[in-house]
Amino acid sequence: MTGRMSSSILTAVAAAICVFLVMPTLAVAPISFTETDFITFPPRGFTLRWYEEFFTRPAWIGSLGTSAIVAVLTAILATTLGTMIALGLGQLPRRVGGAVTFFFILPMVVPTIITAAALYTPFARSGLIASIPGLVLAHTVLALPFVIINVSAILQKLDHRVVDAARSLGATPAVAFRRVTLPILAPGIAAGAVFAFITSFDEVVVSLFIAGANATTLPVQMWSGIRFEISPIVAAASCLLLIVSCVLLTIFWLIQRR
Amino acid sequence: MPGAAVHISGLSKRYGDFKAVDDVSLSIEPGEFVTLLGLSGSGKTTTLMAVAGLIKPDKGTIRINDTDIVSLAPERRGLGVVFQNYALFPNMNVFDNIAFPLRMRKRSTQEIREAVGRVLEVVALEPFADRRITALSGGQQQRVALARALVFEPPVLLMDEPLGALDRSLRDQLQTEIKRIQREFGVTVIYVTHDQEEALALSDRIAVMSDGKIRQLGSPDEIYERPSSAFVAGFVGDSNRVAVRLGEARGELRVVKAEQAPELELLAGPAEGSASGAEALMIVRPEAIELSLERPQAERNAVEGQIEMREFLGASIRFTVSTPLGTMHVRKGRTVAAAALKPGATVWTSWRPSDGLIFPSAA
């Protein structure tokens, strides 16, 4: 009896925590349909006007395009580099590997504003400010740890004898890598790619430094939207970002479950 | 393909100051089953992996049917390897694991299906072809590993502690199976284990290794009955060890005095070379010792003692007897009269002088 009661209390507390965590995120959804010209809560009326404006105003739709391009390129670059780094780290003696891994994970631990400030000067000198390559490079620095962590996690569980086994059965090192190592690492690489994409797609702090008139990402556009207009377009954009993130995380979850 | 001859000569491998393999030479006949037996760090696995091509030796040659393979990459040696913990490909099912070496050899789909089918039958895993590796028991995984290493009919099969991760009854069953499959394929086997019972049961010849060297090479009977050193005697089979001092020769035998009980006059097996008065070690196998209530006839070594413990081991019974020579272990078949003796009984332990093996003291 007491067991059942304490378990229902636990369920109630857990549900309350979930609501607390999710509510602010979900609150933007009703706001995005308001008929007022600025963000209000509770929203008044119902209109799809802000979604229409989002998709027609060049500043908004252009920033979505930039974000998508930057996120895809970041995912590709970070996944490739991160996988290679994880494989390299796996070859190092355990203690050295741990220290070097920490070095690569740093951008995740250090406050983003520090990374942003550190990147600004060299990027400004080399003309990477306000350019897509600049954004991709900066986002890759932030996204790398996710790829390294995901790939290393699988690499640590991997029995390294499988590569030896493949060699003994007639596979050259390249074939053994393609037919055995890579397929085994694939779920970690895919998870890393999803995280890298989301990291870039949602990133605002570093982008504020690096982005410019010719290359503005969606979160940066939202930032100025809030500062100068308090426009409900920001809420509509938030909803769209949320949907993209949810879809990607669902894909990630399905990959992990396999 | 029938088994190939393997000639290892002067093989050495060091890691820093540690000599993992120290000048090992070994010639193996086609179709022979040779076991490298030793503790971890004895060099047995390093030797095996050097043959597989997965460890590069510092010195020495390895010839398969007169072809030196030392400089060949592992994928070009064409030897079957069964790894400890099997090293199956977790991203492939049973069929694809076994088909892997055939695909590497660019065999046709038809050929692959036939060959994998045949070998699945040999290891009795036909219904499991589509199973994921993780859905198999340890014993089944072991058989997949064996099938994968044999499907391309290699002339030599290298096995590294293949039964190490399995429980006792499964090991016994798979031992028999490995032996049967080896005969069926006629393949030469180099087998690595630290389990002496496994080695004794499976091998045509055993190479007992320690500190990177082969200490003795011989048939299981030779190794067990005529160990060349106290180390081998102690490692293969149980043994009672008694510190003794050598006395004068008497015919083919030698008078020995136990350090702990010099008043007893004992005779022991031939001990050539060593001078009278030298310290030595006498080793007596537990099953060579008889237990009796009456003092046995004069030509046997006889020591009186008291039974301290009686352990039932199934087919046999192990007695722990305290004697003036120290604690002696005695193993008796369950059905012999002496098996009924109870702890506390005063008994005579006795053995033929030739069952007392004499070795120079290690010091």
Side-chain angles (χ1 to χ4, degrees), chain A residues 162 165 167-169 171 179 183, chain B residues 74-75 83 88-89 91 105 148:
Chain A
V162 295
R167 298 288 306 278
S168 77
L169 295 167
R179 298 287 299 269
Chain B
E75 65 268 23
F83 292 87
L88 297 173
F89 306 132
N91 54 316
R105 286 164 176 77
R148 186 180 66 176

Side-chain angles (χ1 to χ4, degrees), chain A:
Chain A
M1 204 56 200
T2 49
R4 191 182 297 171
M5 195 148 102
S6 66
S7 108
S8 57
I9 290 172
L10 185 67
T11 310
V13 170
I17 293 174
C18 283
V19 169
F20 176 73
L21 289 175
V22 174
M23 271 317 277
T25 313
L26 292 183
V28 300
I31 295 172
S32 67
F33 299 111
T34 189
E35 286 178 0
T36 51
D37 279 345
F38 46 87
I39 287 175
T40 41
F41 193 85
R44 256 173 268 153
F46 179 86
T47 176
L48 291 175
R49 180 184 148 203
W50 307 115
Y51 286 90
E52 192 192 327
E53 294 220 10
F54 178 86
F55 284 109
T56 48
R57 279 165 67 167
W60 286 96
I61 190 67
S63 70
L64 175 64
T66 307
S67 269
I69 291 168
V70 170
V72 167
L73 291 176
T74 300
I76 292 171
L77 186 60
T79 306
T80 312
L81 278 176
T83 303
M84 284 160 61
I85 290 167
L87 284 167
L89 291 172
Q91 299 284 311
L92 293 174
R94 196 151 278 254
R95 198 171 296 174
V96 183
V100 183
T101 304
F102 179 74
F103 173 76
F104 279 109
I105 301 302
L106 267 181
M108 209 167 81
V109 184
V110 169
T112 322
I113 188 75
I114 293 177
T115 309
L119 289 176
Y120 186 76
T121 321
F123 272 41
R125 287 225 181 106
S126 39
L128 286 167
I129 299 293
S131 75
I132 286 183
L135 284 167
V136 170
L137 282 178
H139 286 179
T140 298
V141 171
L142 298 176
L144 263 180
F146 293 100
V147 180
I148 295 172
I149 287 172
N150 275 297
V151 176
S152 295
I154 295 194
L155 215 49
Q156 267 166 16
K157 282 184 288 178
L158 174 76
D159 175 5
H160 291 274
R161 287 285 190 200
V162 295
V163 177
D164 286 347
R167 298 288 306 278
S168 77
L169 295 167
T172 59
V175 172
F177 180 75
R178 204 177 69 234
R179 298 287 299 269
V180 177
T181 312
L182 210 52
I184 292 174
L185 295 181
I189 294 172
V194 169
F195 275 118
F197 183 92
I198 293 175
T199 301
S200 164
F201 204 66
D202 292 350
E203 209 290 319
V204 65
V205 179
V206 171
S207 304
L208 278 174
F209 281 73
I210 309 290
N214 299 324
T216 296
T217 63
L218 184 54
V220 171
Q221 175 63 26
M222 287 167 69
W223 171 250
S224 28
I226 288 177
R227 284 182 65 198
F228 302 120
E229 303 179 54
I230 322 179
S231 159
I233 298 181
V234 174
S238 300
C239 265
L240 293 170
L241 267 181
L242 195 62
I243 289 167
V244 170
S245 295
C246 283
V247 167
L248 285 173
L249 281 173
T250 308
I251 294 171
F252 167 68
W253 178 70
L254 288 174
I255 291 169
Q256 294 296 299
R257 233 171 45 127
R258 267 213 316 155

Side-chain angles (χ1 to χ4, degrees), chain B residues 197-210:
Chain B
E197 284 181 37
E198 211 169 285
L200 292 170
L202 284 168
S203 319
D204 295 321
R205 280 191 300 160
I206 297 173
V208 182
M209 292 188 72
S210 75

